Amino acid sequence: LKNPALDLDAIDKYTGVNAFWLAGYYGRGIIMRELANAGMDIYNSNKQHINVFHLAIYKNREDIVQMLLKSNFSLELLTLKGYTVFHLCCMLNHTSILKIILSYLK
């Protein structure tokens, strides 16, 4: 991140994802925080419009969900199939993540 020639918003041409998305995929919250603080596009999504919040639900990563909620990550973004974070929680039976999101919204 100290390299000024580094393109923080470099996107893989095949998948459409950036390093922030990949850090989320592998559950690397500290790296995600560093990349976000450096100005990386945190709303990057793959070709199915799955962003890092959707991904955290797919991967059942409660820690990443909590981190994204604290950073005020948008809950209104849709996947290509029109699913929200709420749809995904219900479809995947990830009730603990749904409870975390609902508690945050109270």
Side-chain angles (χ1 to χ4, degrees):
L1 293 177
K2 294 179 182 179
N3 181 350
L6 179 67
D7 179 9
L8 285 179
D9 290 317
I11 296 173
D12 180 74
K13 65 181 179 180
Y14 299 108
T15 61
V17 301
N18 65 11
F20 186 80
W21 196 96
L22 288 171
Y25 181 85
Y26 290 105
R28 305 295 190 238
I30 294 171
I31 294 172
M32 291 172 68
R33 183 179 64 232
E34 292 296 320
L35 292 169
N37 288 339
M40 179 166 265
D41 176 14
I42 65 170
Y43 289 106
N44 173 257
S45 61
N46 69 5
K47 292 183 177 185
Q48 299 300 313
H49 296 197
I50 295 170
N51 63 44
V52 73
F53 205 123
H54 300 134
L55 185 62
I57 295 168
Y58 276 115
K59 304 277 288 173
N60 203 21
R61 297 297 312 233
E62 292 180 18
D63 55 335
I64 301 298
V65 167
Q66 290 174 340
M67 184 186 76
L68 293 169
L69 287 170
K70 288 178 186 175
S71 71
N72 293 317
F73 198 95
S74 176
L75 302 178
E76 298 177 11
L77 300 171
L78 303 175
T79 67
L80 191 60
K81 293 184 178 182
Y83 301 140
T84 65
V85 295
F86 301 104
H87 290 116
L88 293 174
C89 286
C90 294
M91 290 168 41
L92 298 169
N93 199 28
H94 290 173
T95 55
S96 60
I97 290 179
L98 183 59
K99 288 177 185 177
I100 292 168
I101 295 169
L102 294 175
S103 292
Y104 173 79
L105 292 175
K106 280 186 180 180

